[in-house]
Every structure is written in structure tokens, then in C-alpha cells.
Amino acid sequence: MRLVRKPRIDPVRWQPPPVDPLPEVPSPDVTVVPLPGNGPEDVVTDASGHIWTGLEDGRIVRISPDRGAPAVVADTGGRPLGLHVARDGRVLICDSHRGLLALDPADRTLTTLAESVAGRPLMFCSNVTETSDGTIYFTESTCDFRFEHYTAAVIEARGRGGLFKLGADGTVTQLLDGLYFANGVTPTADESALVFAETQARRLSKYWLSGPQAGSVTPLAVHLPGMPDNISTGADGRIWTAMVAEVNTALEWLVPRAPVLRKLAWRLPERLQPHIKPEVWALAFDPGSGHVVAGLRTKHPEFGVVTGLVESAGRLWMGTINYPAVAHVDLAATGL
């Protein structure tokens, strides 16, 4: 395996938010669907009920919901992350190496929608969504690192993420910057706002698209006890949130202290770096109050570290960066 040299980091002091407790959630049975590759980071569903995901080697896979049989449809040649099925049936793909792409499932062609912003390349296109008027929105977790070094952005603790809008003419407009590892993005059911996740800040926020608060940001769920990743809107408007990991107490002890301590920690061998505990964890939040209304938290020997999720045909499907599989649970078993 080719070794990738670690980039230099330039950490700053940062005060992490406190942790607020959340209600306990169920531990339903988990069904694992093996895939022909590792790291299906996000999962989305199309009009026919097929599940789509992207593997760490660049392949885009379609899964039959009945047989669970995966079929490779395309290869981005990069690292696909967040996905979204557009109104016209194309699969929108955030690729950390190639930017924002669109896949036509009919002829399997890939088109680049955006590969740069403000004259610089997109480094970490993270998640993408579309509203009913055809407007595309996407996030960039950090403008400094690719996906392979996502931990560098977290250890640095610099707010280098952003939220963007793609215009019909291909123009990219930055709506927000200074986000702490921007990740999932999804519209509310009435499309009055976008909900977006900041993984490091451990919060969900609303960017208002209409009404008296248009263009402003308000909090939805803050002080989370874990790190939110990709998100999606459920059939009843709930905001499903993949909880990739619980709070890393060692890192959160370090970030308010002298940055040189994190520079030293970054140089440690991989085996000495902190690792994610492999749980199967997801929460659904009410889009108005921010209260938890459903969820699951359990363990499975062949699946964990949930990074993406979507409702489909009575199931909650989940993706991960750490396993060669997707998984699903009975949606009815996730209620509180």
C-alpha cells in the first residue's frame, strides 16, 4: 500500500462546546449488506427504491433493496462522499478529489458541476442537496485538506468549512464560511431553510432560505454528545443525523491548550492516534424544536461508525467509512 505523507498542521486554541445529555434511544436489530469495497460514506435512495453509495476507491454502487445485490455503475476516480438524487434522476456526488459531480444513471456518464470556488480548487466537497426549484447546495468540510487527512482539520480546530450554492449558470456562491467541519446538508420539508451539520462544533443549524430570517443562521440542536456527519430529511420532516462518534475527551482536552501539544500528537504513529469507537448510532431531530424524536444506538461486529443515512421503504439505511458494507434497521423500531 502506498504511504501518504502527513501534511503539516497549524492548530489554534479553540474552546469546544459543552455536552448536553440526550434521551436514550432504542437498540434495534441491524441487517448488514456486504459491498465489493470499503467505506460507503453516504447512502441515498432513488425513485425506484434503489440505494446508492460511493466506495473509497471511487466506485459508485447501486443496491437492490430486495436482493441487496450491489452493482457498480460508475467510477469517479476520486473519493466520493455525500450523494443526492436530483429531481431529474441524476446522482449528485461530492468527491473530495474532483469536486461536485453528476452521474446520469441511464448512460453512466459523469459530468463535473463545480471543481473550484473563488479561484481555488474544492478540497473536501462533503455533502450535497437540491431544493424543488432545482437549486443545488453543497458543503465543504475544510479548504485545507482532502478526505484522507480529515483528522488534520479536526486537530487544527480552525473553522475552514463552508456552505455553497450552485447557480444554474455554474456559478458557485459562498453562503457561509468559518464552519467547523461542515458536513451534512438537507432542506426542511417546507424548504424554508437548510439544515446543516458541523461535525467538530457538534451542532445542527438552520440557514434560512425564505421568510423574515432569510440569509441568517439559527441553532437547531447544539452541545451534542457526539459528532454529527451526513443528514437527511425523513418522510415526516424529521432530520435524521448520522452520529459518527461520541465526544473524544482526549482531543477536547487538548484543543483549548497550547497548539504545540497537538503538533506533537499529530506526529505520533497511527497506532497511537485516537480511534473511533465503532457504534451504530443515529438520531432524528424535530425540525422545529430540535428535540430528539427517534434514533438508535447499538453495536454490531460487522458494521459501525455511521456517516450517512436515509429512509426508504420502511427502513433506515446507513453508510460508514470503516466497513465494506451498508446496513439497515426497521424504521418503526427507532421511535421513542
Side-chain angles (χ1 to χ4, degrees):
M1 179 181 293
R2 183 174 63 90
L3 296 178
V4 180
R5 183 184 296 274
K6 278 187 175 183
R8 293 185 178 183
I9 63 170
D10 184 21
V12 293
R13 292 179 187 264
W14 181 68
Q15 183 59 55
V19 174
D20 287 346
L22 293 175
E24 290 189 8
V25 292
S27 300
D29 292 335
V30 177
T31 299
V32 175
V33 180
L35 295 179
N38 195 58
E41 199 262 357
D42 196 14
V43 284
V44 295
T45 184
D46 63 19
S48 300
H50 291 94
I51 303 299
W52 291 79
T53 190
L55 305 178
E56 67 180 9
D57 62 7
R59 288 177 294 169
I60 304 299
V61 175
R62 181 177 59 206
I63 305 163
S64 165
D66 299 323
R67 301 188 310 275
V72 176
V73 177
D75 191 334
T76 70
R79 198 338 175 175
L81 298 171
L83 309 174
H84 180 77
V85 177
R87 296 175 308 149
D88 60 8
R90 293 180 303 165
V91 181
L92 307 180
I93 304 166
C94 275
D95 190 292
S96 178
H97 291 269
R98 295 193 54 193
L100 181 61
L101 311 175
L103 167 64
D104 186 334
D107 60 16
R108 303 191 175 194
T109 57
L110 284 163
T111 304
T112 300
L113 300 181
E115 57 186 353
S116 64
V117 56
R120 65 163 180 85
L122 281 168
M123 293 294 289
F124 200 139
C125 189
S126 189
N127 199 243
V128 58
T129 194
E130 180 192 41
T131 48
S132 59
D133 63 358
T135 305
I136 294 172
Y137 300 90
F138 65 95
T139 59
E140 184 182 37
S141 293
T142 172
C143 60
D144 288 337
F145 305 100
R146 301 285 188 192
F147 171 82
E148 289 77 8
H149 294 114
Y150 70 88
T151 54
V154 176
I155 291 173
E156 271 200 346
R158 290 180 178 271
R160 294 286 179 87
L163 174 66
F164 301 87
K165 179 174 73 172
L166 178 67
D169 61 354
T171 301
V172 177
T173 302
Q174 184 157 15
L175 302 177
L176 297 173
D177 61 6
L179 303 182
Y180 284 89
F181 209 93
N183 215 319
V185 59
T186 189
T188 55
D190 63 2
E191 298 193 342
S192 62
L194 298 173
V195 179
F196 64 92
E198 290 173 88
T199 300
Q200 183 161 26
R202 292 190 278 104
R203 65 189 175 202
L204 304 180
S205 303
K206 284 183 175 180
Y207 176 84
W208 291 90
L209 298 175
S210 61
Q213 299 182 92
S216 67
V217 176
T218 58
L220 177 62
V222 299
H223 305 166
L224 298 176
M227 305 177 82
D229 203 292
N230 288 322
I231 61 180
S232 63
T233 305
D236 61 354
R238 67 182 66 182
I239 306 299
W240 275 107
T241 304
M243 300 298 290
V244 66
E246 62 183 11
V247 170
N248 185 308
T249 53
L251 180 59
E252 296 213 345
W253 181 87
L254 278 173
V255 289
R257 291 169 169 78
V260 68
L261 295 176
R262 275 171 286 150
K263 285 187 175 183
L264 293 172
W266 178 241
R267 295 173 186 167
L268 293 174
E270 181 64 26
R271 68 180 185 277
L272 299 179
Q273 298 284 342
H275 292 88
I276 296 174
K277 184 170 74 172
E279 291 186 283
V280 185
W281 189 14
L283 298 170
F285 295 88
D286 181 275
S289 67
H291 294 155
V292 175
V293 293
L296 69 142
R297 191 171 188 179
T298 188
K299 292 183 179 180
H300 192 283
E302 299 174 351
F303 189 80
V305 190
V306 180
T307 51
L309 71 185
V310 67
E311 290 183 9
S312 180
R315 297 170 176 170
L316 181 70
W317 286 81
M318 297 170 286
T320 175
I321 55 171
N322 277 27
Y323 292 83
V326 293
H328 59 79
V329 299
D330 181 358
L331 190 59
T334 65
L336 298 188

